[in-house]
Amino acid sequence: MTLFDAVSQTVAALEKRNIRRPRVGVVLGSGLGDFANELAHVDKIPYSELPHMPLARVPGHAGNLCFGQIGAVDVVCLQGRVHLYEGHDVHAVVHGVRTMARLGVRVVLLTNAAGGLDPTWSPGDLMVVTDHLNLMATSPLVGPNDERFGPRFPDMTQAYDRDVRSKLFQVAKQTGLALREGVYAGLLGPSYETPAEIRMLRVLGADAVGMSTVPEVLALRHLGVAVGALSCISNLAAGLSPTPLSHREVEQVARSRRADLIALLSGWVRAVGEP
Ligand code: HPA
């Protein structure tokens, strides 16, 4: 079966359940899944009930496709994502966002927890991603190209949509939230980086480092979907942090920004989705 057919089957299974057609998509990263509980009229569908949806295997990632509304905007959320380091195939990692696009979503905001590379930043800071470095040594676009998804050589000059970014800043200003912006380096993981790797990443122009987001962005841009990404800086990266890194800390810091993130994501959904 082709990847396109697999996505069609997931979409068909969702259509059978009479989901509302979403216009906006949100992918919820480590410790950030609570936003899905804010949706009105929410319909939560466990990935396990859908064909071809890979299952999340990391604590803090619930594994539900959630349909609902923020204001008048129909939204779909991936509550919990899968990562390359879990051993999933790169195509499986992007199956959820490809499904979103086929459901009609034209704009997606991806969230993640990330390590900060600027020693003047603090855990809990929020960063709008302006661009990325793909250091995962793979791409969901590797393999025969299916033109039904998009072109063989998609352009990545403006991978992170200007309008999506400016709306995040607009909402942050209204909400009284500070936002940073910078370049996200996507690494395979699952070990955190060594201090030498962090020094290398700083030389390369990265501001934050994490283990997700990049494959989804590549797949969504291939499909022509507008993309934004928001990193919760859960820790200073290795060598910059006074304490050893731990997933527990990452989740705790992300959770501590729960209310602000919900306000920001809700405001952003309304800003992009309401006419
Ligand atoms: N490195 C990689 N991924 C991460 C980090 C980090 O420091 N923090 C949260 N995700």
Side-chain angles (χ1 to χ4, degrees):
M1 184 186 306
T2 65
L3 297 168
F4 192 87
D5 291 340
V7 173
S8 304
Q9 288 190 358
T10 308
V11 169
L14 288 166
E15 282 169 344
K16 262 198 204 142
R17 298 178 70 135
N18 282 325
I19 49 108
R20 290 175 69 97
R21 286 273 166 186
R23 299 183 53 200
V24 177
V26 181
V27 178
L28 300 168
S30 292
L32 306 170
D34 281 345
F35 173 70
N37 304 327
E38 299 296 311
L39 300 176
H41 316 296
V42 67
D43 185 6
K44 263 192 191 191
I45 305 177
Y47 297 161
S48 58
E49 294 179 13
L50 294 169
H52 310 296
M53 277 297 288
L55 301 183
R57 301 169 184 156
V58 189
H61 286 263
N64 298 303
L65 204 52
C66 303
F67 294 85
Q69 288 181 303
I70 297 285
V73 187
D74 283 302
V75 183
V76 58
C77 293
L78 290 181
Q79 191 182 34
R81 59 149 64 85
V82 298
H83 304 81
L84 273 177
Y85 64 73
E86 294 169 66
H88 293 291
D89 180 68
V90 66
H91 304 293
V93 168
V94 300
H95 185 81
V97 292
R98 280 182 167 155
T99 300
M100 282 183 169
R102 285 282 295 289
L103 289 170
V105 162
R106 299 319 301 156
V107 55
V108 173
L109 183 64
L110 301 138
T111 64
N112 59 55
L117 300 193
D118 183 329
T120 68
W121 292 8
S122 305
D125 284 0
L126 301 176
M127 184 190 94
V128 174
V129 178
T130 54
D131 206 346
H132 74 221
L133 298 171
N134 180 7
L135 300 173
M136 293 179 150
T138 188
S139 160
L141 310 185
V142 166
N145 187 54
D146 192 326
E147 292 280 334
R148 292 173 292 180
F149 283 133
R152 173 75 287 186
F153 301 110
D155 177 56
M156 291 291 151
T157 313
Q158 285 282 335
Y160 296 80
D161 189 79
R162 250 179 219 289
D163 186 52
V164 167
R165 279 152 52 195
S166 73
K167 289 216 161 78
L168 281 169
F169 277 98
Q170 195 181 305
V171 173
K173 200 168 166 199
Q174 288 159 1
T175 324
L177 282 177
L179 288 184
R180 303 192 179 277
E181 61 181 351
V183 173
Y184 176 92
L187 273 68
L188 177 61
S191 53
Y192 292 112
E193 301 69 35
T194 63
E197 286 164 345
I198 293 303
R199 288 194 295 276
M200 173 189 77
L201 292 173
R202 289 179 67 182
V203 172
L204 295 181
D207 300 292
V209 57
M211 306 173 195
S212 68
T213 305
V214 168
E216 290 111 309
V217 170
L218 295 172
L220 287 165
R221 292 307 302 137
H222 189 218
L223 284 150
V225 174
V227 171
L230 184 68
S231 295
C232 176
I233 303 298
S234 54
N235 55 280
L236 289 185
L240 303 176
S241 169
T243 52
L245 311 190
S246 79
H247 185 60
R248 240 172 72 93
E249 178 199 1
V250 167
E251 280 191 285
Q252 276 169 1
V253 172
R255 290 234 163 81
S256 75
R257 296 304 310 265
R258 178 183 181 279
D260 290 335
L261 277 160
I262 287 174
L264 183 57
L265 296 185
S266 305
W268 175 83
V269 167
R270 287 170 194 266
V272 294
E274 283 176 353

